[in-house]
């Protein structure tokens, strides 16, 4: 019981009415400010203690590398601490983890979520990473509320900005995995949803997970051959070779017999396997381009305005196209440099799937110059709440399950009129798919030993059993690489994609080609093009 203290009253000093009122107001404001400050300071000082208490022994392994906190967490402060908007899905994941108990008769498994959660400076986008966490959380909630199969704990693994601290992060994760050797019921780490940049460093360090049998499903990594020396690495999206097939088919078709030129700009160093493998994949089409009377040339450019782009400008009576094959963070500057160099003689600008972030993140288009149009590669059709809210029994069952899980777990698309532009990039449904694929083989199987579960996973993932899997497009693995279709979207004005209530998923981007394996879509620009035998077998 709180005891109220009484203090002797001081002699009253009579003041004019207006002075008395103003004095009270000032004193009140000062008091409120002091109270709020005290609450904030107290809250941040005891928050780590409260987090430790509610985590109830859930392990974590976090270290600091060059000012970034990297490693893994199953509970506690989000890696995006202090930013409620970015940290919301981390917090939701940790809340769900706390409900998974070892004594639960269903048992549990742990799935790593290997991502990059460092708030970047400059033009970099973090919307996709946030969307990825939203997707894995939707799957976790759906699985844990079912009546069968082990429950899921998600260990969020932050590898730092661009995945540059993946070694330090996996050093921490190793302890989580090693604990299973002494106690099979400790963590049961069976797999990982891996979404970081495809670099030489990442390839080397992720091999460590493969060596201990951790099955990785990547919803984003497309570098050709990235997992070729691994035995348990699955690429959920089609590799760069299929992207290059789609781009070349689009170029040859749109040239329509005209003599022309295709110039490719590939900014990035040799350690960036995404950029290098995409350039190599296009090189495999030189004979096809030559037969179509289209000359190929590499276009030299680097950030800071280095490179003569005037050679790419359109010429009368000829077909001129530029394929941007770099990272999205360089695309805005390159597009503006190209606009400066060519003015009204802009060539057809085609951008790779890294640039598809522009289709879901309005921040990237702000401040861009007017007069820039582009055709952007997307790893599937752009999903919208309007589509998800009007699904019927004729639509793919996996997509219907995703729509239900998204509404139930996150509240997204719960309003019939809701609009959710961030869905367009595919990060949320692809991350959802990855968790579901890792869990699906054990929905009805009574397997508890983590080593046995891992050994079964790789085999089960390549089996289809006649069931169509995948939200955005169907998933079929061959040598652990998916053949999911590629879509191209034309954007007539990049700067205004999100202006005045517009969005690429709604009306500011138009699909112009679908290439490869896809569901029958009402929004498809005609029948999806089947990859030719030559391109599908090309090494």
């Amino acid at each position: 019981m709180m005891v109220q203290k009484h203090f002797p009253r001081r002699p009253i000093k009579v003041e004019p009415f207006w002075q008395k009122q103003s004095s009270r107001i000032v004193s009140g404001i000062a008091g409120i400010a002091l109270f709020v400050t005290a609450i904030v300071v107290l809250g941040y000082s005891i928050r780590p203690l409260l987090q430790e208490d509610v985590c109830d022994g859930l392990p974590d392994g976090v270290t600091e590398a060059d000012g970034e906190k990297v490693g893994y967490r199953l509970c506690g402060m989000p890696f995006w601490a202090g930013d409620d908007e970015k940290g919301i899905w981390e917090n939701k994941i940790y809340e769900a983890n706390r409900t998974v108990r070892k004594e639960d008769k269903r048992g549990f498994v742990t799935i790593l979520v290997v991502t990059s959660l460092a708030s970047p400076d400059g033009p970099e986008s973090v919307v996709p990473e946030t969307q990825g966490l939203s997707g894995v959380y939707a799957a976790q909630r759906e699985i844990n509320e079912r009546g069968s199969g082990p429950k899921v704990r998600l260990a969020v693994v932050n590898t730092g900005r661009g995945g540059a601290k993946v070694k330090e992060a996996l050093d921490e994760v190793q302890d989580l995995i090693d604990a299973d050797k002494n106690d099979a019921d400790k963590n049961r780490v069976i797999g990982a949803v891996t979404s970081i940049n495809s670099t030489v460093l990442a390839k080397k360090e992720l091999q460590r997970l493969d060596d201990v049998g951790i099955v990785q499903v990547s919803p984003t990594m497309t570098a050709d051959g990235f997992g070729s020396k691994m035995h348990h690495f699955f690429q959920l999206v089609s590799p760069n070779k299929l992207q290059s097939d789609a781009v070349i088919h689009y170029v040859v078709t749109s040239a329509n017999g005209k003599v022309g030129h295709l110039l490719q700009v590939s900014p990035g160093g040799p350690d960036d396997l995404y950029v290098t493998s995409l350039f190599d994949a296009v090189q495999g089409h030189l004979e096809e381009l030559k037969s179509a009377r289209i000359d190929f040339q590499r276009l030299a450019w680097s950030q800071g305005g280095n490179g003569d782009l005037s050679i790419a400008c359109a010429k009368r009576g000829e077909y001129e196209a530029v394929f941007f094959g770099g990272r999205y963070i360089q695309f805005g500057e390159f597009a503006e440099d190209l606009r400066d160099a060519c003015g009204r003689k802009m060539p057809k600008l085609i951008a790779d799937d890294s640039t598809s972030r522009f289709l879901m993140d309005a921040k990237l288009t702000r401040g861009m110059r007017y007069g820039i149009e582009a055709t952007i590669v997307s790893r599937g059709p752009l999903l919208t709440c309007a589509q998800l809210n009007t699904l019927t029994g004729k639509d793919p069952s996996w997509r219907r399950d995703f729509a239900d899980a998204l509404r139930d777990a996150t509240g997204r698309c719960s309003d019939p009129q809701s609009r959710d532009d961030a869905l367009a990039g595919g990060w949320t449904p692809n991350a959802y798919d990855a968790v579901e694929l890792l869990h699906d083989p054990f929905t009805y199987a009574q397997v508890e030993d983590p080593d046995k579960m891992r050994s079964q996973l790789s085999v089960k993932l390549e089996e289809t059993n006649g069931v169509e899997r995948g939200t955005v497009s169907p998933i079929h693995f061959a040598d652990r690489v998916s053949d999911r279709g590629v879509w191209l979207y034309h954007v007539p004005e990049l700067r205004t994609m999100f202006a005045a209530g517009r969005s690429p998923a709604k009306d500011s981007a138009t699909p112009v080609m679908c290439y490869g394996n896809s569901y029958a879509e009402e929004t498809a620009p005609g029948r999806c093009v089947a990859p030719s035998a030559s391109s599908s077998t090309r090494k």
Side-chain angles (χ1 to χ4, degrees):
M1 179 177 179
M2 183 178 289
V3 179
Q4 186 175 1
K5 296 182 179 181
H6 296 274
F7 298 92
R9 297 181 65 181
R10 295 182 180 179
I12 299 175
K13 179 181 179 182
V14 179
E15 297 176 338
F17 172 77
W18 61 86
Q19 186 175 343
K20 185 188 298 183
Q21 295 301 316
S22 62
S23 178
R24 287 177 179 174
I25 293 171
V26 171
S27 298
I29 292 173
I32 291 171
L34 184 62
F35 176 75
V36 171
T37 301
I39 290 296
V40 170
V41 172
L42 180 62
Y44 274 98
S45 64
I46 68 173
R47 189 174 179 186
L49 299 177
L50 294 175
Q51 292 282 6
E52 184 177 339
D53 182 55
V54 301
C55 287
D56 192 26
L58 284 172
D60 70 1
V62 179
T63 188
E64 190 163 310
D66 294 333
E68 294 184 78
K69 290 189 180 300
V70 298
Y72 78 90
R73 281 190 173 125
L74 283 153
C75 185
M77 296 278 286
F79 284 103
W80 267 326
D83 192 325
D84 292 336
E85 183 179 354
K86 295 188 187 117
I88 180 174
W89 303 118
E90 262 189 278
N91 280 324
K92 293 287 188 183
I93 288 169
Y94 299 154
E95 288 174 11
N97 285 343
R98 292 195 291 269
T99 67
V100 178
R101 300 297 177 187
K102 292 183 180 180
E103 59 270 18
D104 193 304
K105 63 181 181 180
R106 286 177 56 186
F108 73 93
V109 293
T110 299
I111 295 175
L112 309 175
V113 182
V114 184
T115 184
S116 176
L117 301 180
S119 295
D121 300 320
E124 293 189 55
S125 165
V126 292
V127 170
E129 285 77 11
T130 305
Q131 294 302 305
L133 292 179
S134 172
V136 297
Y137 171 67
Q140 179 188 33
R141 273 283 303 273
E142 181 184 52
I143 291 168
N144 290 354
E145 291 178 2
R146 290 176 192 161
S148 61
K151 291 187 176 181
V152 170
R153 296 193 318 190
L154 297 175
V156 178
V157 182
N158 179 27
T159 61
R161 185 177 181 182
K165 305 302 177 187
V166 60
K167 179 185 183 304
E168 291 83 351
L170 293 186
D171 285 345
E172 299 295 325
V173 171
Q174 193 66 50
D175 293 336
L176 185 72
I177 298 171
D178 288 345
D180 282 339
K181 296 178 181 177
N182 302 321
D183 181 357
D185 292 330
K186 186 73 174 178
N187 299 309
R188 292 184 187 166
V189 183
I190 62 166
V193 179
T194 304
S195 298
I196 58 177
N197 286 351
S198 301
T199 62
V200 171
L201 175 64
K203 186 175 183 177
K204 174 186 175 183
E205 296 301 327
L206 292 176
Q207 181 71 51
R208 296 162 57 184
L209 296 181
D210 193 77
D211 289 342
V212 295
I214 300 297
V215 180
Q216 299 179 72
V217 177
S218 177
T220 59
M221 301 169 75
T222 63
D224 292 292
F226 186 87
S228 60
K229 294 185 179 180
M230 302 184 203
H231 301 290
H232 314 288
F233 188 91
F234 289 78
Q235 288 176 287
L236 188 60
V237 286
S238 52
N240 282 341
K241 184 174 73 61
L242 189 69
Q243 178 178 187
S244 72
D245 292 351
V247 169
I248 297 303
H249 181 86
Y250 177 69
V251 167
V252 172
T253 302
S254 56
N256 196 26
K258 285 185 179 180
V259 173
H261 303 85
L262 173 64
L263 298 93
Q264 180 174 355
V265 59
S266 302
D271 290 341
D272 192 335
L273 300 179
Y274 171 79
V275 174
T276 57
S277 73
L278 186 54
F279 179 79
D280 291 341
V282 173
Q283 293 292 292
H285 291 276
L286 295 184
E287 287 300 319
E288 183 180 348
L289 290 170
K290 184 178 180 181
S291 298
R293 300 194 302 165
I294 298 175
D295 179 57
F296 176 83
Q297 183 176 343
R298 188 166 191 170
L299 186 60
W301 177 86
S302 60
Q303 286 182 289
N306 300 312
D308 179 13
L309 301 184
S310 62
I311 61 173
C313 301
K315 302 170 184 63
R316 179 175 294 182
E318 296 185 0
Y319 177 85
E320 206 77 27
V322 171
F323 177 46
F324 176 84
R327 293 285 180 179
Y328 76 95
I329 56 173
Q330 302 156 319
F331 175 69
E333 184 178 338
F334 170 75
E336 292 189 340
D337 285 352
L338 186 63
R339 179 81 172 84
D340 287 342
C342 296
R344 295 184 178 181
K345 296 181 180 179
M346 277 285 285
K348 182 181 289 292
L349 177 58
I350 307 166
D352 61 22
D353 73 308
S354 174
T355 313
S356 65
R357 289 185 183 234
F358 277 73
L359 299 174
M360 63 187 295
D361 190 351
K363 171 189 170 185
L364 294 174
T365 64
R366 292 173 191 157
M368 283 197 70
R369 209 163 298 168
Y370 285 106
I372 300 175
E373 66 176 291
T375 299
I376 299 176
V377 177
S378 171
R379 296 287 172 172
L382 306 185
L383 290 186
T384 66
C385 286
Q387 291 173 322
L388 296 179
N389 286 332
T390 55
L391 297 176
T392 69
K394 295 181 180 180
D395 290 290
S397 61
W398 196 290
R399 184 177 292 183
R400 299 199 306 269
D401 290 342
F402 167 74
D404 291 339
L406 188 72
R407 284 189 290 264
D408 294 343
T410 69
R412 298 172 67 180
C413 296
S414 55
D415 185 332
Q417 303 301 319
S418 60
R419 171 181 153 181
D420 196 330
D421 296 335
L423 277 175
W427 283 60
T428 302
N430 285 344
Y432 165 90
D433 287 353
V435 174
E436 290 284 356
L437 287 171
L438 288 168
H439 181 269
D440 189 60
F442 311 112
T443 301
Y444 301 107
Q446 298 297 317
V447 184
E448 296 183 355
D449 181 75
D451 285 331
K452 291 181 179 179
M453 296 179 88
R454 295 170 192 165
S455 64
Q456 287 187 17
L457 253 180
S458 288
V459 176
K460 294 292 185 181
L461 282 177
E462 295 214 53
E463 295 177 355
T464 60
N465 296 324
V467 178
E468 200 68 272
R469 306 174 295 180
T471 300
V472 174
S473 55
I475 301 169
H476 305 129
F477 290 113
D479 295 327
R480 292 172 281 106
V481 177
S482 175
D483 63 350
R484 305 176 87 180
V486 171
W487 288 50
L488 273 65
Y489 282 83
H490 177 249
V491 181
E493 180 60 69
L494 285 172
R495 181 186 171 100
T496 59
M497 274 199 296
F498 294 91
R502 306 180 72 209
S503 75
K506 182 183 176 184
D507 53 10
S508 61
T510 304
V512 292
M513 195 183 79
C514 170
Y515 189 93
N517 193 13
S518 187
Y519 292 129
E521 304 284 349
E522 292 182 359
T523 57
R527 185 181 296 276
C528 289
V529 178
S532 63
S534 60
S535 64
S536 62
T537 58
R538 187 182 298 112
K539 299 298 183 183

